[in-house]
Amino acid sequence: MLRITDLFARVEEKEILKGLNLTVKPGEVHAIMGPNGAGKSTLGNVLSGREGYEVTGGSVDFNGKNLFDLEIEERAREGLFLAFQYPVEIPGVSNMEFLKASVDAKRKHHGQAELSAVEFMKMAREASKRVSLDQAFLKRGVNEGFSGGEKKRNEIMQMMLLEPSLCILDETDSGLDIDALQVVANGVNAMRSAERSFIVVTHYQRLLDYIVPDYVHVLANGRIVKTGGKELALELEEKGYAWLENEAV
Amino acid sequence: MSDFQHQAIRLTAQQQPLTWLESLRNKATDAWLAQPWPTRKTEHWKYTPMQGLQKTLLHVWGTAANQILDKALQDELIPVDATRLVFVNGVFDAKHSSRLPETVVRFSQADAEQQALIEKYLGNIVEGEHHLFATLNNAWVDDGVLIHVPRSQRLDKPVYIVNVVTAVAAVSNQRVLIVLDENSQAEIIEHYLSSADVQNGFANSLTEIHLGDNANLQHYRLNMEEEHAQHIGAVHVDLQRNARLRGFALALGSSLMRVDYQLNHRGQGAELDLQGIYLPRNQQVVDYHTNICHWVPHCTSNEVFRGIVSDSAQAIFNGRIYIHQDAQKTLAELSNKNMLTSNKAEVNTKPELEIYADDVKCAHGATISQLNTGARYYLQSRGLSRAEADVMLSFGFINELLEQIAQPAVHDYLQPRLAKLFGRDNSLNEVNVLAELADDKTIG
């Protein structure tokens, strides 16, 4: 699915990722934890292709392709999905039109016909129900005036509609109350399958009570410094990151 | 004095004007000839390219030309349940117009009482000395439309005035007078169109609006002429106590389009909202000058104009808010945002705030920017190409204002048409229609 080898990346001349290695197989859920500034969000941005994130070394193989040969939208159509920590508000662009255009872009890429409006509506209504988002949100501007929780649920709804093979959740739990957290986690869990993989980036162990990972990695100073099972998250919750950061230097 | 000014006056000789309007015409003719022709050094005309108009030969009134709306333009009308008046090259086209209710009358058909009302207001709301072409409109005034809603009445249907220019080198003078008495209410749509083949036509339009105490007007002014049209126009409004105006302006662009809004708060508690969109392309020019004057306390103004300027087009926006020393407790906001989609496109924007009262709340701002890169990245990260994302974002930029249009027929007419300008697929609108249906549980 995904093989990251010795990845170096920088933002505005500052080296953030310094030789990161990570392999994700189909069906696996990997949690990436770590202190602020470790490079957690950078990883998601680099993988999705955001401008301003410069890859200076290493390689990423995504389903047999060199990820860095692909444009932002090609990565998405090939099945990479990044759920944003701070989804952007786009007033004037209807959420529904945006969602249909996204789904159709992926379908065309895979040689499928665009959906009819009716087919799409059915899908969108179903997905919005699954994340407990009122259908009125489909008609609003993209994320316009949505609360933090509504934005995150909208991200998960997009994920459901796009059916990606690799989902990267960037601090999806930040700013969520327990109810919203459960809705989001249920949405993710319902999508888990033998073919679909997840990278769950989080600062807190709490989310991992709901989305139980196969592996937990600690990212510090731009590298994975420790890997373990789900119990590692509990240990981190208890001991913090300082003892590992020292190891990373 | 310019050739254009002389030619313009020579044209008046070809008219057979209503005799009771003669004194207004004569006074205006003198004023028009006395005013200097605007140049680059004339403050309010600094950026407006006038050379083209100066070269225009004003030799024929539209009356000499086609006077019936042709089929192609019929399809361009807004399908709205309204009292419709169609003017073709300045001449009333009865065939394509509605039967007029008592509240709507053409100047040429006005009875004595209506004539008295027209004489009372016509040319008095407009401040001619600051508006050269309003003066010309007075000098040329002939037939026009009076909409008078008496006290505590409400127009049961919108009034829809269509002005089209179809002839080569046709000149058309368009005049509307709206008088809303105390507590009355109306909705009025002015729609300006032209045939695709019109060359060197010139339309001069002027709308004067008197809003009595507590009167309420929704006013739309849609300039949707073709590439080669030249249009100079103005809307002058007086708002009395607690009156409310909700205005919407649209300019798609033509070789020259200049519209001035002069809005006067003359009674306390009046409120106005003015929104505008301009989308010039190719070598078109769009120029909006707005001047909101707060003469009395406790009035509110909210003005938002947005433009997207493409190719080698030019947009000019000048938004002035003037607050007199007596106008305490004024709330006024002005925002003008522009997007340039080409290196050759040009915007000159100037918000002006003149405040002489000390207890007021005012804000203004003007921006010229590119598309939001964060939003573009977000759309691309969901599989849209950069080009698709840009189209969606540009349209979204103006769709924010379209979404606020109160009259559904105007909204539903404009949205797909403007979407098409952005090269967008109309099936997306179909999605929205279905969303409405879904609410009624009719599908799925």
Side-chain angles (χ1 to χ4, degrees):
Chain A
M1 174 71 63
L2 183 77
R3 183 191 305 274
I4 304 175
T5 311
D6 207 21
L7 182 62
F8 285 78
R10 62 184 175 193
V11 184
E12 290 169 359
E13 304 300 311
K14 192 176 177 226
E15 201 95 88
I16 309 279
L17 299 183
K18 304 167 192 169
L20 187 141
N21 291 288
L22 179 68
T23 300
V24 179
K25 296 201 177 86
E28 290 178 351
V29 176
H30 292 246
I32 295 185
M33 303 184 71
N36 287 328
K40 300 197 299 295
S41 286
T42 298
L43 178 61
N45 284 323
V46 166
L47 293 179
S48 79
R50 182 168 209 150
E51 268 177 47
Y53 290 78
E54 193 193 344
V55 175
T56 51
S59 64
V60 176
D61 177 287
F62 177 52
N63 289 329
K65 292 189 171 138
N66 178 358
L67 189 72
F68 299 136
D69 285 346
L70 306 176
E71 297 290 338
I72 304 171
E73 61 270 24
E74 290 169 332
R75 299 179 195 191
R77 293 171 193 166
E78 286 285 328
L80 186 141
F81 182 92
L82 173 65
F84 287 80
Q85 183 178 4
Y86 304 111
V88 59
E89 293 197 22
I90 314 176
V93 174
S94 131
N95 203 18
M96 176 119 51
E97 296 184 11
F98 156 61
L99 293 171
K100 184 170 188 296
S102 309
V103 172
D104 283 340
K106 182 176 180 192
R107 290 179 65 89
K108 269 191 288 185
H109 182 73
H110 292 282
Q112 295 167 298
E114 294 185 11
L115 292 173
S116 74
V118 176
E119 287 167 324
F120 175 75
M121 269 308 301
K122 283 186 184 170
M123 273 176 60
R125 291 178 63 198
E126 187 55 39
S128 69
K129 249 185 248 163
R130 282 166 69 189
V131 294
S132 307
L133 204 56
D134 191 283
Q135 281 177 52
F137 286 96
L138 291 170
K139 286 191 279 176
R140 301 232 309 243
V142 176
N143 293 318
E144 186 186 358
F146 288 24
S147 71
E150 285 156 359
K151 284 179 185 165
K152 298 297 172 72
R153 281 185 271 163
N154 199 24
E155 294 291 289
I156 301 302
M157 180 169 75
Q158 291 171 27
M159 193 166 91
M160 287 171 169
L161 290 171
L162 289 170
E163 299 179 322
S165 54
L166 175 64
C167 310
I168 304 165
L169 309 183
D170 187 8
E171 307 223 8
T172 297
D173 52 333
S174 65
L176 292 190
D177 61 28
I178 295 288
D179 290 341
L181 191 68
Q182 266 175 341
V183 169
V184 165
N186 289 343
V188 170
N189 288 330
M191 288 190 67
R192 287 178 76 158
S193 77
E195 295 82 39
R196 183 172 292 129
S197 313
F198 290 83
I199 296 175
V200 181
V201 176
T202 181
H203 196 71
Y204 306 104
Q205 186 272 336
R206 186 179 68 158
L207 177 67
L208 306 180
D209 286 342
Y210 299 96
I211 303 173
V212 181
D214 300 305
Y215 299 94
V216 174
H217 308 277
V218 178
L219 179 58
N221 289 323
R223 291 163 55 203
I224 303 285
V225 295
K226 192 168 179 69
T227 295
K230 62 185 182 219
E231 64 289 340
L232 177 58
L234 292 168
E235 194 182 346
L236 291 167
E237 183 84 349
E238 204 177 306
K239 293 161 84 174
Y241 295 108
W243 60 288
L244 289 166
E245 276 182 88
N246 295 337
E247 277 181 28
V249 178
Chain B
M1 202 186 308
S2 66
D3 289 351
F4 184 91
Q5 280 166 294
H6 278 298
Q7 283 183 49
I9 292 308
R10 272 202 292 277
L11 261 191
T12 57
Q14 292 178 24
Q15 292 179 301
Q16 285 147 359
L18 302 164
T19 50
W20 52 279
L21 290 174
E22 257 172 18
S23 92
L24 175 63
R25 286 170 57 101
N26 292 339
K27 232 170 64 189
T29 300
D30 294 342
W32 164 256
L33 291 173
Q35 287 187 68
W37 183 251
T39 67
R40 293 266 168 202
K41 287 179 185 151
T42 314
E43 181 59 25
H44 286 289
W45 294 90
K46 205 171 177 170
Y47 298 107
T48 319
M50 298 295 283
Q51 305 86 337
L53 192 60
Q54 169 82 332
K55 282 185 207 136
T56 300
L57 279 177
L58 297 179
H59 56 75
V60 57
W61 279 102
T63 43
N66 185 14
Q67 298 175 15
I68 298 289
L69 194 63
D70 66 26
K71 183 74 183 71
L73 282 164
Q74 284 170 36
D75 295 340
E76 294 303 311
L77 301 187
I78 303 171
V80 57
D81 181 19
T83 298
R84 187 166 81 194
L85 295 96
V86 177
F87 291 84
V88 179
N89 299 314
V91 178
F92 185 65
D93 174 359
K95 185 168 171 246
H96 295 103
S97 299
S98 315
R99 238 195 79 173
L100 302 183
E102 275 179 24
T103 42
V104 183
V105 68
R106 288 157 52 211
F107 294 175
S108 56
Q109 312 295 312
D111 62 24
E113 203 180 315
Q114 288 162 327
Q115 285 181 20
L117 189 81
I118 293 169
E119 284 181 287
K120 180 178 170 193
Y121 289 107
L122 199 72
N124 288 328
I125 299 167
V126 61
E127 291 168 36
E129 66 268 33
H130 302 304
H131 295 275
L132 182 61
F133 285 85
T135 306
L136 179 61
N137 199 291
N138 282 340
W140 276 349
V141 70
D142 191 4
D143 206 1
V145 182
L146 167 69
I147 299 157
H148 174 220
V149 188
R151 186 183 166 142
S152 299
Q153 285 193 30
R154 176 192 179 144
L155 285 185
D156 58 350
K157 281 182 186 181
V159 176
Y160 176 31
I161 304 168
V162 183
N163 271 301
V164 301
V165 176
T166 67
V168 173
V171 174
S172 156
N173 198 57
Q174 299 150 356
R175 188 65 174 255
V176 178
L177 174 63
I178 300 167
V179 178
L180 263 57
D181 288 346
E182 196 180 331
N183 287 322
S184 68
Q185 194 175 333
E187 188 180 333
I188 295 163
I189 305 159
E190 294 181 46
H191 196 184
Y192 297 88
L193 293 163
S194 72
S195 303
D197 54 353
V198 169
Q199 302 273 343
N200 298 321
F202 174 61
N204 187 17
S205 64
L206 178 58
T207 301
E208 285 178 283
I209 302 175
H210 170 86
L211 300 181
D213 290 357
N214 212 35
N216 188 324
L217 175 68
Q218 263 186 58
H219 181 255
Y220 299 88
R221 194 185 208 283
L222 313 175
N223 277 92
M224 299 176 69
E225 287 119 329
E226 297 286 339
E227 193 85 33
H228 300 289
Q230 301 180 93
H231 184 130
I232 296 188
V235 179
H236 291 243
V237 189
D238 278 348
L239 294 97
Q240 302 298 336
R241 183 180 284 266
N242 296 324
R244 182 160 164 69
L245 169 70
R246 190 160 178 187
F248 177 81
L250 171 75
L252 293 190
S254 42
S255 71
L256 174 65
M257 201 258 18
R258 157 86 181 233
V259 172
D260 288 24
Y261 274 82
Q262 170 70 48
L263 307 162
N264 293 304
H265 284 293
R266 301 209 184 272
Q268 297 195 18
E271 267 182 59
L272 74 85
D273 276 292
L274 178 63
Q275 302 195 324
I277 293 173
Y278 45 90
L279 304 166
R281 290 159 295 143
N282 304 330
Q283 304 207 306
Q284 299 166 351
V285 177
V286 167
D287 181 348
Y288 276 112
H289 269 62
T290 70
N291 188 18
I292 300 177
C293 294
H294 285 254
W295 302 102
V296 295
H298 294 288
C299 294
T300 303
S301 299
N302 192 357
E303 181 180 359
V304 179
F305 270 75
R306 285 192 180 182
I308 300 179
V309 188
S310 315
D311 309 318
S312 304
Q314 186 192 358
I316 299 139
F317 177 83
N318 192 298
R320 178 174 181 257
I321 296 179
Y322 168 84
I323 298 171
H324 188 268
Q325 59 182 16
D326 293 340
Q328 301 294 357
K329 305 286 180 191
T330 289
L331 295 176
E333 266 186 64
L334 163 65
S335 153
N336 173 233
K337 290 188 182 172
N338 297 281
M339 245 161 51
L340 298 175
T341 65
S342 119
N343 289 335
K344 289 183 187 156
E346 184 182 327
V347 174
N348 292 288
T349 174
K350 185 173 165 199
E352 293 178 76
L353 213 44
E354 274 181 51
I355 306 176
Y356 300 98
D358 51 16
D359 185 13
V360 300
K361 221 170 150 180
C362 297
H364 70 153
T367 60
I368 300 171
S369 57
Q370 311 288 329
L371 289 171
N372 178 333
T373 52
R376 179 195 279 148
Y377 165 57
Y378 188 78
L379 297 183
Q380 281 184 278
S381 79
R382 297 299 180 252
L384 276 71
S385 68
R386 186 179 166 129
E388 287 166 332
D390 286 357
V391 164
M392 203 172 255
L393 291 173
S394 323
F395 183 68
F397 176 69
I398 60 152
N399 193 38
E400 261 188 278
L401 297 187
L402 289 179
E403 289 296 331
Q404 294 173 45
I405 291 178
Q407 166 56 252
V410 173
H411 172 271
D412 296 350
Y413 171 87
L414 289 181
Q415 203 187 37
R417 275 178 166 74
L418 300 196
K420 220 170 136 192
L421 281 184
F422 288 85
R424 272 176 27 131
D425 174 2
N426 258 337
S427 72
L428 297 173
N429 288 307
E430 190 192 343
V431 176
N432 276 338
V433 172
L434 281 156
E436 304 287 340
L437 291 175
D439 291 344
D440 302 336
K441 309 271 184 268
T442 48
I443 65 159

